[in-house]
Amino acid sequence: MNAVVQALQDALGTDSVRVDPDVTASYSRDMMPLAPVGQPLAVVFPENAEQVQAVVRICGGAGVPIVPRGAGSGLSGAANAIDGCVVLVTTRMNAILEIDQDNRLAVVEPGVVNLDLRDAVEKHGLFYPPDPSSYDWCSIGGNLSTNAGGLCCVKYGVTTDSVLGLEVVLADGSLLKTGRRTVKGVAGYDLTKLFIGSEGTLGVITKATLALRPLPQAPATLVAAFSTTAAAGVAVTSIVRSGTVPSLMEIMDSVSIKAVEQHLKTEVGPPGCEALLLCQSDSGGEVARLELEKVELACQAAGADMTYVTTDLAEGKMLLTARRAVLTALEVYGAWLTDDVCVPRTAIADLIAGCQVISERNDVKIAVVGHAGDGNMHPTLVYNPADSDEFARARVAFDEILELGLGLGGTVTGEHGIGKIKREWLAREIGPVGLAVHRSIKQALDPGNLFNPGSMFAME
């Protein structure tokens, strides 16, 4: 192992290879507290694709596994170290290499922070849609590896819908280029989409060509309050059926509302509010007004106790602050653990109701917020990490929520990924044939199981 560290230092420089246990421990896990974690041999910080290739060849030759890592904002344990691995951190590869205004694309390295890219392209009148809640510190490489989503997926889709091509270092150290720079292109297998969402199990992404959109108009905002989650669910179904596609449609349950009200020291919903629906339209002008008018009518027909529409940008941001503040607000009750299930939009109310039952059965506080426009819900468990019994109950509740989501015709992850925490659930969802295909692809591209072994699924 000393020889491996020395070879890495020779290839990258001593400043780019860290072996101090205090340092390696700080890069050993992401934000998912339940996922297993090991002690890495070293943490490396390559600055370009050539250095990534060198790391892969050194580790591959010595049989040392590699765990790729971005900013560490993930919520599935996908970037968690295993014992004796090399954690490959891409944060120093943070250049925006090109912004092509005429062709509406950008070429970036994986360490670019999502918000930095959004701000950079906005200066050119362009827009990069994916907006995970951690957009102010998560990296594009991590977004690509987990196929991250965000609040505006209802209109713009997840990360893969904004990617034209990739450069990826494969297990033998070669550099694969996938995709294109053109609007259309169907040559060969769609290898770009194969690597997006693969969680670092097939290769290391070193560059991405991203599709951009014209900068949307300033959003108009609607908030609707409901005395039952069932009524809010009916409103969501009606909005979808109407053909209206807002740029954002979020839902908060009563536990989330109360936590945010306590945190912000302001009233978020009227007394007795059990569910809050937040919608935006970025279509601008009369089109936005008509879209939100349809949304408002659907909410009122479903029994909303209150609806409010504003075109004031500052007021809209203030209303959305309540949604974005949920996780911070829940910290006053203890540590939080966010689940990630996606159900048919007609089943959102059933999921929230089921989470209330799970909460009572396990004596664990559960707040539910999520992207109502696409059915991606985030039941968030709050627990005392110092209380082993309470932690165990939270772990049981976490799995029961996944069971509930599957039972409602959903999936165990809408945007956070499988990682090292939901491996058995992936097997349940995709079945033995699907799992065999996954293993065959992994075996073909990474026969030595070099990249992120044990994440997503086991090879045996």
Side-chain angles (χ1 to χ4, degrees), residues 43-403:
V43 178
V44 299
F45 301 86
E47 298 180 2
N48 51 54
E50 290 75 18
Q51 289 189 346
V52 173
Q53 289 177 286
V55 172
V56 169
R57 287 169 178 144
I58 291 167
C59 291
V64 175
I66 296 171
V67 176
R69 175 189 170 96
S73 63
L75 290 162
S76 69
N80 283 17
I82 61 173
D83 287 335
C85 76
V86 167
V87 176
L88 190 156
V89 183
T90 59
T91 51
R92 292 186 185 178
M93 300 172 64
N94 60 1
I96 299 175
L97 301 171
E98 179 185 0
I99 298 175
D100 185 335
Q101 187 173 358
D102 294 332
N103 289 302
R104 294 182 190 162
L105 62 83
V107 181
V108 305
E109 292 181 326
V112 172
V113 171
N114 183 293
L115 182 58
D116 291 344
L117 175 61
R118 290 166 68 91
D119 288 343
V121 301
E122 185 175 335
K123 296 174 184 177
H124 298 267
L126 298 171
F127 173 53
Y128 179 65
D131 66 335
S133 294
S134 57
Y135 72 121
D136 55 343
W137 68 288
C138 66
S139 67
I140 296 297
N143 295 170
L144 292 164
S145 294
T146 59
N147 200 7
L151 275 64
C152 68
C153 292
V154 58
K155 184 172 183 177
Y156 297 108
V158 293
T159 295
T160 190
D161 299 303
S162 295
V163 183
L164 296 173
L166 300 172
E167 287 190 5
V168 185
V169 175
L170 299 178
D172 63 357
S174 59
L175 187 65
L176 170 70
K177 297 182 180 181
T178 77
R180 64 201 188 280
R181 291 172 61 99
T182 54
V183 175
K184 294 171 64 179
V186 296
Y189 293 139
D190 193 343
L191 298 179
T192 301
K193 290 188 183 297
L194 175 63
F195 284 94
I196 297 172
S198 64
E199 300 181 12
T201 61
L202 300 178
V204 181
I205 296 171
T206 57
K207 188 184 296 185
T209 302
L210 306 174
L212 306 175
R213 293 173 178 263
L215 189 66
Q217 300 293 313
T221 305
L222 172 143
V223 59
F226 299 86
S227 57
T228 68
T229 54
V234 170
V236 171
T237 301
S238 298
I239 293 165
V240 173
R241 186 185 299 121
S242 74
T244 304
V245 183
S247 56
L248 175 150
M249 184 157 60
E250 298 290 299
I251 193 168
M252 299 169 58
D253 74 346
S254 60
V255 179
S256 304
I257 294 166
K258 290 171 185 174
V260 169
E261 287 180 334
Q262 181 178 342
H263 174 66
L264 298 179
K265 295 179 171 57
T266 187
E267 187 178 88
V268 174
C273 179
E274 289 293 312
L276 205 66
L277 201 62
L278 287 159
C279 296
Q280 287 188 332
S281 171
D282 62 5
S283 299
E286 182 67 6
V287 176
R289 188 191 69 79
L290 290 173
E291 285 182 349
L292 290 189
E293 183 179 89
K294 287 183 179 180
V295 172
E296 185 174 29
L297 289 173
C299 291
Q300 291 171 346
D305 299 309
M306 179 274 291
T307 60
Y308 178 72
V309 179
T310 180
T311 57
D312 183 84
L313 184 59
E315 193 173 21
K317 286 183 177 179
M318 182 181 67
L319 291 170
L320 199 58
T321 296
R323 165 62 181 90
R324 292 193 182 275
V326 169
L327 292 182
T328 302
L330 289 172
E331 289 177 354
V332 301
Y333 301 115
W336 53 261
L337 170 63
T338 296
D339 215 328
D340 167 50
V341 294
C342 192
V343 297
R345 289 170 288 196
T346 51
I348 289 174
D350 292 333
L351 180 80
I352 294 175
C355 286
Q356 292 173 343
V357 173
I358 292 170
S359 173
E360 294 168 2
R361 181 166 60 236
N362 294 283
D363 191 23
V364 174
K365 185 184 288 292
I366 300 177
V368 184
V369 296
H371 316 309
D374 55 30
N376 191 185
M377 296 290 104
H378 296 304
T380 302
L381 303 93
V382 184
Y383 64 97
N384 178 3
D387 185 331
S388 59
D389 180 63
E390 189 170 339
F391 181 81
R393 296 198 310 273
R395 185 66 177 88
V396 170
F398 183 89
D399 284 343
E400 288 183 358
I401 291 169
L402 297 178
E403 183 81 53

